[in-house]
Amino acid sequence: METKIFKPNQVEAAAALLRAGQLVSFPTETVYGLGADATNEAAVKQVYAAKGRPSDNPLIVTVTGPAMVEQYAQPLSTKAQALMKAFWPGSLTLILNLQPNALSQAVTGGLKTAAFRNPANQTTLNLIQAAGVPLVGPSANTSGKPSPTLAEHVYHDLKGKIAGIVDDGPAQVGVESTILDLTADVPTILRPGAVTEADLEPVIGQVRSNHHKVGKTEVPKAPGMKYKHYAPDAQVYIVDHETDWDAAFKWAQAQDYSIGVMALDNVLAAHQLPTNVEAYSLGQDLSSASHRLFAGLRHFDPESSVKGILTQGFADDGLGSAYMNRLNKSAGQVHFDPTQA
């Protein structure tokens, strides 16, 4: 099929496709999502087919605000209301108990819960409002590949498989939303993001983190808990410490193939890059690195022939938890060993 590109002032045309059961990618402040009418089971199933996504990997439901959530979820708890007031619209996804048969199993993965998100992107809020229904919104990429932060990334992966893409420029955050399970005894972060424990606890008290990968027979409550994610074609190696970069560049130079390097500007400036190294800047700090991570991983897929990507690691706390969560999954937990140089 033809994949049409829509500008932000063309959301009515994109919404018409959604109402007709078609798939349309939409922008958020984190990454681009793949939208379908969350109340149309046939349309939702097309999302799994277009992405090549396992059918037991539940989908996030993207909404315009609490009033839309209340049409499908059980009555909102005091904590849920407080979180929505504090962080919505924004990069926080909440897992809530559903009303009986409120959404199809194609959305929930067969669970009695669903994840709801109210993105901080006015174009997408306008799109949902025009469509008149909530949208499922997994990342708009081939399943397992780095998430898209540009409309061009979506087009690369899904051209001919979806009806349209609403292009609103680059995503501002660059890593997906924090997912918080409010159905647990203690609210639990299942996927770290820009909203951290330190942000959440002043609003609702104690918060736990549980980023484990679920077993083969388990149904994950949230995306990213079971299957391989964010992986480019080349093997990613995490460089844990700035003091390891001398060894990392020495190792890269010894290879008989091209190596990609993703690092902060100060690391790149401090080293003479071997001739077989292609550098991608992660910017000045952790914030810019989080914003550029997926774009960098995607850069080394279609645009170069590198067979390994050395990527800078950070401390696993705060925003670093979100960054390292994605980077570890992209690398398959493979860390560069400086003793091998």
Side-chain angles (χ1 to χ4, degrees), residues 250-329:
K250 182 179 178 182
W251 172 83
Q253 188 172 25
Q255 307 311 306
D256 61 359
Y257 49 82
S258 296
I259 296 291
V261 168
M262 295 172 56
L264 295 181
D265 290 339
N266 67 299
V267 170
L268 299 177
H271 294 86
Q272 181 69 39
L273 302 186
T275 56
N276 66 326
V277 163
E278 180 180 347
Y280 186 94
S281 169
L282 291 178
Q284 301 290 327
D285 52 26
L286 173 60
S287 178
S288 64
S290 298
H291 176 68
R292 298 182 184 189
L293 176 63
F294 288 146
L297 294 173
R298 281 187 164 269
H299 169 80
F300 290 113
D301 258 356
E303 299 180 21
S304 71
S305 58
V306 302
K307 295 183 180 179
I309 306 172
L310 294 163
T311 305
Q312 186 163 352
F314 291 91
D316 194 357
D317 58 60
L319 180 58
S321 292
Y323 176 93
M324 291 305 297
N325 173 269
R326 278 39 166 212
L327 182 55
N328 269 299
K329 290 178 180 178

Side-chain angles (χ1 to χ4, degrees), residues 83-254:
L83 289 166
M84 291 175 183
K85 182 177 180 180
F87 297 106
W88 279 16
S91 303
L92 179 65
T93 295
L94 300 176
I95 294 180
L96 304 170
N97 288 309
L98 288 171
Q99 299 173 26
N101 303 313
L103 293 168
S104 83
Q105 292 190 5
V107 175
T108 66
L111 300 174
K112 296 181 180 180
T113 60
F116 292 90
R117 167 143 141 77
N118 177 209
N121 181 285
Q122 191 58 52
T123 296
T124 285
L125 297 180
N126 293 343
L127 177 67
I128 299 170
Q129 190 69 40
V133 290
L135 304 179
V136 294
S139 55
N141 57 290
T142 300
S143 188
K145 288 297 182 181
S147 297
T149 55
L150 294 169
E152 289 89 338
H153 296 160
V154 181
Y155 194 78
H156 175 268
D157 279 18
L158 301 179
K159 174 187 176 182
K161 297 180 181 180
I162 64 176
I165 303 168
V166 180
D167 184 355
D168 195 28
Q172 299 305 305
V173 177
V175 293
E176 302 97 334
S177 61
T178 303
I179 297 181
L180 183 68
D181 184 4
L182 286 182
T183 69
D185 293 337
V186 175
T188 302
I189 295 176
L190 300 184
R191 183 179 74 186
V195 179
T196 66
E197 288 182 46
D199 298 322
L200 295 166
E201 288 187 334
V203 179
I204 60 169
Q206 182 186 7
V207 172
R208 292 177 181 164
S209 292
N210 182 5
H211 308 157
H212 81 289
K213 188 173 181 180
V214 304
K216 291 183 179 180
T217 60
E218 292 181 77
V219 176
K221 266 192 167 183
M225 296 182 69
K226 186 173 184 180
Y227 297 99
K228 184 179 180 181
H229 276 66
Y230 318 124
D233 290 338
Q235 175 62 52
V236 176
Y237 303 91
I238 302 170
V239 181
D240 291 308
H241 309 288
E242 285 203 22
T243 54
D244 294 338
W245 278 106
D246 285 339
F249 282 112
K250 182 179 178 182
W251 172 83
Q253 188 172 25

